[in-house]
Amino acid sequence: MTALDDLVRLLGPSTVARTPSPDDWTEIEAYVASPLPTDFKTFLDTYGTGAVCDELVVFHPRGTSPLLDRMRQIHERRAAARRRAPDLHSFPVHPEPGGLISWGYDHSGNEHFFWPCDPDPDRWKVVTDNHGLELEVFEGPFTAFVLDFIERLRTVDPDDELDPNDLDELDELDEPKSVEPSFRPI
């Protein structure tokens, strides 16, 4: 069973009523000058634009907030920040060679990218920019990253290094400090 199979099993069937087309990805892949990871495209073709566990937001090329528009905006903003303070931004950003490629964010304020560190996009790593303070590299594909993300949300421990505001919000709502896997289309 693949990570994508595990992810679909956790999230349940898609509620997206559209037929995916390879043409959906043509403009984006021309922009990044490479195919994108297969599991990423398959996941988004299955679920569309939306939020995993109401926390991790992903964008489909034909969604309400198109992926290409978001990529361009994040890449321009990050490139400008890198020009102003190159010591604080160790990774290049697309279109620089090997530059990070934006694909989503989470409501905790982190941006998520692909790092095209291999000629095979299915071997690219995921990089998370934690509030502009540090970059974390995930040693696996997109779907494994999302599974890990869900697992961390499902097993929130108050002693973990979390944003205190996140736990305070859960306490105020008198909610359990873990979540059930879900996908909500946006």
Side-chain angles (χ1 to χ4, degrees), residues 118-119 183:
D118 190 283
F183 187 87

Side-chain angles (χ1 to χ4, degrees), residues 19-142:
T19 304
S21 166
D23 293 339
D24 290 347
W25 297 95
T26 302
E27 191 176 14
I28 290 173
E29 292 181 336
Y31 169 71
V32 299
S34 172
L36 291 171
T38 305
D39 67 334
F40 174 72
K41 294 188 304 186
T42 302
F43 178 82
L44 287 170
D45 282 343
T46 301
Y47 288 96
T49 295
V52 175
C53 299
D54 286 324
E55 179 66 18
L56 178 63
V57 181
V58 294
F59 300 87
H60 188 275
R62 303 284 183 238
T64 54
S65 295
L67 177 59
L68 185 56
D69 293 347
R70 176 161 172 70
M71 278 182 169
R72 287 181 171 142
Q73 177 187 31
I74 297 300
H75 295 168
E76 288 171 17
R77 187 180 322 148
R78 192 164 182 88
R82 184 170 156 84
R83 285 190 298 274
R84 285 190 306 274
D87 293 345
L88 298 177
H89 300 277
S90 56
F91 276 80
V93 65
H94 180 78
E96 290 183 66
L100 297 177
I101 299 168
S102 174
W103 59 259
Y105 70 93
D106 62 52
H107 290 297
S108 294
N110 302 314
E111 289 287 338
H112 301 285
F113 301 88
F114 288 119
W115 177 23
C117 55
D118 190 283
D120 179 357
D122 291 333
R123 298 174 61 121
W124 290 357
K125 297 176 182 176
V126 172
V127 173
T128 298
D129 181 343
N130 291 307
H131 306 282
L133 302 174
E134 66 177 308
L135 296 177
E136 288 182 18
V137 177
F138 182 82
E139 300 290 332
F142 169 79

Side-chain angles (χ1 to χ4, degrees), residues 155-175:
T155 58
V156 174
D157 180 340
D159 296 329
D160 285 347
E161 290 182 29
L162 295 172
D163 182 334
N165 294 326
D166 292 345
L167 287 176
D168 290 344
E169 287 174 21
L170 289 172
D171 284 336
E172 287 172 17
L173 297 171
D174 200 24
E175 294 286 329

